[in-house]
Amino acid sequence: MNAAVRARGLVKSFGRTRALDGLDLTVKTGEVHGFLGPNGAGKTTTIRILLGQMRADGGEVALLGGDPWQDATDLHRRLAYVPGDVNLWPSLTGGEVIDLLGRARGGLDPKRRAELLERFELDPRKKCRTYSKGNRQKVALVAAFASDVELLILDEPTSGLDPLMEATFNECVLREKRDGRTVLLSSHILSEVETLCDRVSIVRAGRTVESGSLADLRHLTRTSVTAELIGSAPGLAALPGVHDLSVDGARLRCQVDGDALTAVLAELARAGVRTLTTRPPTLEELFLRHYEGAAR
Amino acid sequence: MTGTLTGTGTLIRLILRRDRVLLPVWIAITALLPASIASATTGLYPTQAARDSFAAASAANPAQLAMRGPIYDASVGGLTAWTLGSSLALIGGLVSILLVIRHTRAEEETGRRELLASGVIGRHAPLAAALTVVLAANLLHGLLSVPALVAGGLPAGSSLLFGLSTSAGGWAFAAVAAVTGQLTASSGTARGIAIAVGGLLFALRSLADTGGVGWLAWLTPFGWVRLTRPYAGDQWWVLGLIAVFAAALVAAAFALSTRRDVAGGLIPSRPGPAEGTLPGAFGLAARLHCGTLAGFAIGFGALGALLGVAARGLHTQLDTPQFRELAATLGGADARLSDVFFTFVMYVLSQLVAGAALVSALRARAEEAAGRAELLLSTPVGRLRWALSHLVFAVMSPVLLLTVLGAVAGLTFNGDVARVAGATLAYLPAVWTVAGIATLLVGLLPRLAAAVSWTALGLFLVVDLLAEFKLATGIILDLSPFVHVPAMLLGGAASPAAPLLGLTVVAVTLTAAGLAFLRRRDLMPSA
């Protein structure tokens, strides 16, 4: 058993809306897994099913080797969760909430707690009523990172944090990874996923559209080519696998499918190359490709 | 200064949109009640002689005096004004408090106000918009009640005064809520303070009419709404007192609001402990429930003291033939006056205790809707343990409140604590049944649970009112759990086991079913 999360063909409907439509997700033990998709793609619904707060209408799901609905209480001893929209008890202080959640999860490391409070610059004596969204998120993050658990489920955890705190958050996630913990990180912030994650799953409209390591996904996608030519390359437009070609005098830009790169480079070499830049697509570009598909 | 009201119109439309069901329903019901009570009065007491004898009996009944005050005139109009004057002020006051807080402090607490305030919304606009809607809605139900009263043959001028008097109760408490909404950052506390003020002012009026200190009624809006004396001398100028009271409080609220920050309160929020010692779900539930529960206990204790003192004077003040007759019909020839009094009053007050139990029973759903349950349930706290942590308070809070109410009443009456408290505690299974209905709904129809539970309790109260006017009998009456509770002080103690056991079984069944449904369903945060 080396998968922390294994979901196959998850289906969940709310009335007529089909929130999940055959979603697959596999998170290997010890990896940081990015769960990418725009708002409404089904990320939070999937997480609620993993937490046993909702039951899937169809499909199979296993969490840490158990059934997330049947074995919820036992499984929850081994995980910590940070919701996307953290709602806390207005009359309790941040410190009280951290300890409440920590105790419920079987105790937390006081040294680590103090260290995290300092790093996130959170005042634990304030009532939750007075916290901003970012500060409420920090309360849940401190409680999660200070707990001794195998799996962290983080639902868009940085949406209220400023850039400095995002850096702190990234360090914390990398430390969890070093300690051998598994992290499921849902996000629509691509740079975050790029720096932190070993593998990603991209979801759209309740389905997984891509899943694999970043290297795998890039292999599937186009490379962005920018070149300054000496001669001209008239044959380029006719090559299969060349997209969005634009020529501006000697400058040329295009997107190239992975398996067409050799032919394209040969064509460019024939024309003579002064400068050449090739760049792997950013996740933005990956995203655009998938969601353009959805719009069509 | 002109800028501080910018955007009021937009906010009024927002409020009307959010309350597009609640407002019309409340206005319609409140506007229809006066004419239906007037016609019921005509039907039940067609002759002046019948009305006179009813009035004499009611005037001799301290429970009626405490709830409704004196009857100024035994005409159809006069009796209608007496029946509804106090209750409509109570209902209008409560609805107005809830609405004003909902659209002012609650908006700030959830941060939605911040979102709006960053647009073109003046500092005073939210309060001005909430007050405009609530004051207008109160005026509307008052005015709408007039045509039907006039059509039923009552004088137009007095009917208008009566309509406006029913509006005035709402105005007074909308203004009270406008002030309490400025004091603290918590909408729950603001609501609680306003309701406590309302309770005190009502108690003051009750004391005025039962304790022989009539002038006290001039110090409270609950007195003023009766002292306009519609159909009994029409004292229009008393409306002016209410207007001045409301205007002064509204002015104070606006003045206070300029002296604080958005989302802040005048009473600052103090820092608390940096470390927590809450031992899990039950500890958390205790923290969440105890403040409210302590407030309720103090309130019911004060009510009990008031009743005990009022009951003391009964034998000397109210030993009239009419009341003796009433006592004899209810409890047999040798029934003690005080027992009849306590039986009456506890029947009504037990339904208030049921309201307190509903607050506890619906707490789990409130936690779920606010998204707080989601976080707690992601820890090893199971669904059932979480639900039970709140249910314990729905079960135990009526035990505490009924005991306090009965014990304090018995203590201040004649020291016979056990007897009065015992009779009060007989309502426990009925109150549990109401809490059971709420628990069932939380499991089955979570999104509607609060609305349906409160409506059910409201219907039980209406059944009482209808029963009193003999408009409901048999099956309809049987629907209310409170009807089945034996009157322990009036001979019901002989065989109380069957009905009490029956109600307890119903309550346990409802609760168990609710928990079973809750365990099987998805968690449904309102977002």
Side-chain angles (χ1 to χ4, degrees):
Chain A
M1 197 235 21
N2 64 346
V5 175
R6 191 187 296 278
R8 288 275 164 277
L10 283 188
V11 175
K12 179 74 186 175
S13 301
F14 300 107
R16 288 188 175 182
T17 333
R18 211 169 165 85
L20 296 184
D21 189 16
L23 183 134
D24 299 326
L25 177 66
T26 304
V27 179
K28 294 179 190 159
T29 303
E31 75 175 357
V32 178
H33 193 100
F35 193 30
L36 276 174
N39 296 323
K43 302 190 297 291
T44 299
T45 304
T46 307
I47 288 175
R48 285 186 176 149
I49 290 173
L50 292 178
L51 290 171
Q53 300 187 344
M54 284 182 177
R55 197 149 32 170
D57 300 334
E60 293 164 29
V61 58
L63 179 84
L64 300 170
D67 177 335
W69 180 269
Q70 291 294 335
D71 316 327
T73 317
D74 288 334
L75 293 176
H76 290 177
R77 279 180 225 291
R78 300 159 61 191
L79 65 84
Y81 164 58
V82 175
D85 196 358
V86 181
N87 293 291
L88 304 173
W89 299 271
S91 56
L92 267 57
T93 64
E96 286 179 302
V97 171
I98 291 171
D99 289 343
L100 171 73
L101 296 174
R103 262 165 215 264
R105 289 182 189 129
L108 37 77
D109 176 358
K111 248 178 69 190
R112 180 95 175 108
R113 179 188 186 273
E115 182 197 329
L116 285 163
L117 282 176
E118 194 173 327
R119 293 186 66 181
F120 279 109
E121 295 170 20
L122 181 72
D123 181 353
R125 291 170 310 147
K126 280 192 168 175
K127 296 271 165 71
C128 292
R129 168 181 300 123
T130 63
Y131 282 138
S132 65
K133 175 179 163 60
N135 280 334
R136 291 201 302 271
Q137 219 150 21
K138 290 180 194 171
V139 170
L141 284 170
V142 170
F145 286 135
S147 303
D148 182 18
V149 291
E150 297 165 41
L151 170 67
L152 289 161
I153 298 182
L154 312 174
D155 191 2
E156 304 200 351
T158 59
S159 49
L161 300 185
D162 60 46
L164 220 59
M165 286 302 144
E166 266 177 54
T168 305
F169 167 80
N170 288 354
E171 287 166 30
C172 289
V173 171
L174 291 174
R175 175 174 166 166
E176 296 297 317
K177 186 180 156 186
R178 270 202 309 279
D179 291 351
R181 302 201 172 106
T182 311
V183 180
L184 174 62
L185 174 67
S186 111
S187 180
H188 58 243
I189 302 168
L190 306 164
S191 56
E192 181 175 278
V193 171
E194 258 181 322
T195 42
L196 293 176
C197 295
D198 305 305
R199 295 196 317 127
V200 297
S201 294
I202 302 181
V203 292
R204 185 193 74 199
R207 265 174 201 277
T208 312
V209 287
E210 303 268 4
S211 190
S213 69
L214 287 177
D216 290 344
L217 293 192
R218 282 191 187 113
H219 178 72
L220 291 171
T221 59
R222 299 162 186 173
T223 302
S224 185
V225 177
T226 309
E228 212 174 317
L229 300 182
I230 299 166
S232 67
L236 209 55
L239 280 180
V242 175
H243 309 271
D244 305 332
L245 177 67
S246 70
V247 183
D248 175 18
R251 275 181 78 84
L252 168 150
R253 300 168 66 96
C254 63
Q255 307 278 324
V256 181
D257 285 346
D259 49 8
L261 266 177
T262 315
V264 168
L265 288 178
E267 185 70 22
L268 291 178
R270 204 168 300 136
V273 180
R274 194 166 286 137
T275 65
L276 175 68
T277 318
T278 62
R279 189 167 52 75
T282 62
L283 278 169
E284 256 88 6
E285 282 163 332
L286 283 185
F287 240 34
L288 270 177
R289 217 185 112 196
H290 291 301
Y291 298 114
E292 266 174 9
R296 247 177 245 141
Chain B
M1 272 307 277
T2 51
T4 60
L5 289 175
T6 312
T8 305
T10 315
L11 291 180
I12 288 176
R13 279 194 297 278
L14 177 66
I15 294 173
L16 293 178
R17 171 69 180 73
R18 288 182 64 199
D19 287 335
R20 66 193 185 287
V21 179
L22 179 82
L23 282 172
V25 169
W26 167 47
I27 292 172
I29 291 178
T30 317
L32 285 173
L33 266 177
S36 35
I37 292 295
S39 99
T41 307
T42 317
L44 276 173
Y45 311 103
T47 65
Q48 189 57 47
R51 288 194 290 272
D52 282 340
S53 100
F54 171 73
S58 299
N61 182 340
Q64 295 284 30
L65 283 180
M67 291 304 293
R68 292 175 172 153
I71 296 176
Y72 294 119
D73 189 67
S75 63
V76 171
L79 289 177
T80 305
W82 168 77
T83 307
L84 288 177
S86 231
S87 337
L88 286 184
L90 212 54
I91 295 169
L94 188 64
V95 174
S96 299
I97 287 172
L98 298 179
L99 280 174
V100 168
I101 299 294
R102 166 176 158 87
H103 292 294
T104 56
R105 178 51 74 181
E107 284 294 277
E108 282 185 57
E109 194 181 28
T110 54
R112 288 192 286 261
R113 161 86 182 273
E114 218 178 333
L115 190 70
L116 285 173
S118 58
V120 264
I121 299 289
R123 148 170 280 283
H124 287 147
L127 181 56
L131 283 173
T132 307
V133 171
V134 174
L135 296 183
N138 276 296
L139 178 63
L140 201 60
H141 76 64
L143 291 178
L144 285 176
S145 69
V146 178
L149 286 168
V150 176
L154 292 171
S158 299
S159 297
L160 180 62
L161 179 61
F162 176 45
L164 290 177
S165 302
T166 65
S167 306
W171 292 339
F173 289 99
V176 169
V179 173
T180 64
Q182 309 303 319
L183 299 181
T184 75
S186 149
S187 59
T189 311
R191 213 176 284 133
I193 297 176
I195 291 174
V197 168
L200 274 177
L201 291 172
F202 189 85
L204 203 61
R205 214 272 304 124
S206 282
L207 192 66
D209 293 325
T210 51
V213 272
W215 58 270
L216 280 179
W218 287 98
L219 300 180
T220 155
F222 286 109
W224 300 331
V225 297
R226 296 290 336 277
L227 288 163
T228 54
R229 299 177 76 121
Y231 309 104
D234 290 1
Q235 303 195 75
W236 284 87
W237 64 270
V238 178
L239 280 182
L241 276 182
I242 302 173
V244 169
F245 174 85
L249 287 177
V250 167
F254 279 114
L256 291 174
S257 84
T258 58
R259 298 175 59 171
R260 64 176 187 86
D261 300 330
V262 170
L266 280 175
I267 303 165
S269 175
R270 279 167 311 182
E275 284 173 23
T277 52
L278 293 175
F282 283 91
L284 174 66
R287 255 301 268 287
L288 297 177
H289 287 267
C290 275
T292 327
L293 196 53
F296 278 131
I298 292 170
F300 280 103
L303 266 176
L306 196 74
L307 296 175
V309 172
R312 268 193 208 171
L314 289 179
H315 294 281
T316 49
Q317 281 182 20
L318 288 155
D319 196 4
T320 60
Q322 284 87 356
F323 193 62
R324 279 248 160 259
E325 192 188 324
L326 180 72
T329 8
L330 283 165
D334 53 351
R336 281 157 56 178
L337 293 184
S338 54
D339 288 345
V340 177
F341 171 71
F342 281 129
T343 302
F344 249 153
V345 174
M346 294 311 175
Y347 181 71
V348 177
L349 291 184
S350 63
Q351 306 194 21
L352 286 189
V353 173
L358 266 190
V359 172
S360 298
L362 291 168
R363 193 63 180 246
R365 171 57 198 162
E367 288 283 296
E368 178 191 0
R372 293 189 287 262
E374 188 184 341
L375 193 55
L376 192 65
L377 289 174
S378 75
T379 71
V381 171
R383 201 74 79 85
L384 194 61
R385 191 144 70 95
W386 166 72
L388 286 174
S389 74
H390 292 286
L391 189 63
V392 164
F393 287 88
V395 173
M396 293 313 290
S397 77
V399 177
L400 172 74
L401 297 179
L402 288 171
T403 307
V404 167
L405 178 67
V408 175
L411 191 70
T412 49
F413 172 55
N414 63 356
D416 197 350
V417 173
R419 192 159 175 275
V420 182
T424 313
L425 276 170
Y427 282 96
L428 200 50
V431 174
W432 281 340
T433 303
V434 174
I437 292 173
T439 305
L440 176 69
L441 288 165
V442 168
L444 203 55
L445 297 168
R447 289 180 205 281
L448 296 175
V452 177
S453 311
W454 285 105
T455 309
L457 182 61
L459 286 178
F460 297 151
L461 279 163
V462 169
V463 166
D464 289 343
L465 193 69
L466 294 178
E468 201 183 325
F469 279 83
K470 302 184 177 61
L471 294 175
T473 47
I475 283 181
I476 296 183
L477 209 54
D478 286 344
L479 286 178
S480 167
F482 298 91
V483 172
H484 301 282
V485 176
M488 303 292 280
L489 295 174
L490 300 176
S495 56
L500 292 185
L501 208 64
L503 279 172
T504 307
V505 169
V506 171
V508 170
T509 311
L510 289 170
T511 306
L515 290 175
F517 283 120
L518 179 70
R519 286 188 75 182
R520 295 164 141 264
R521 73 167 168 83
D522 289 348
L523 212 59
M524 293 186 207
S526 68

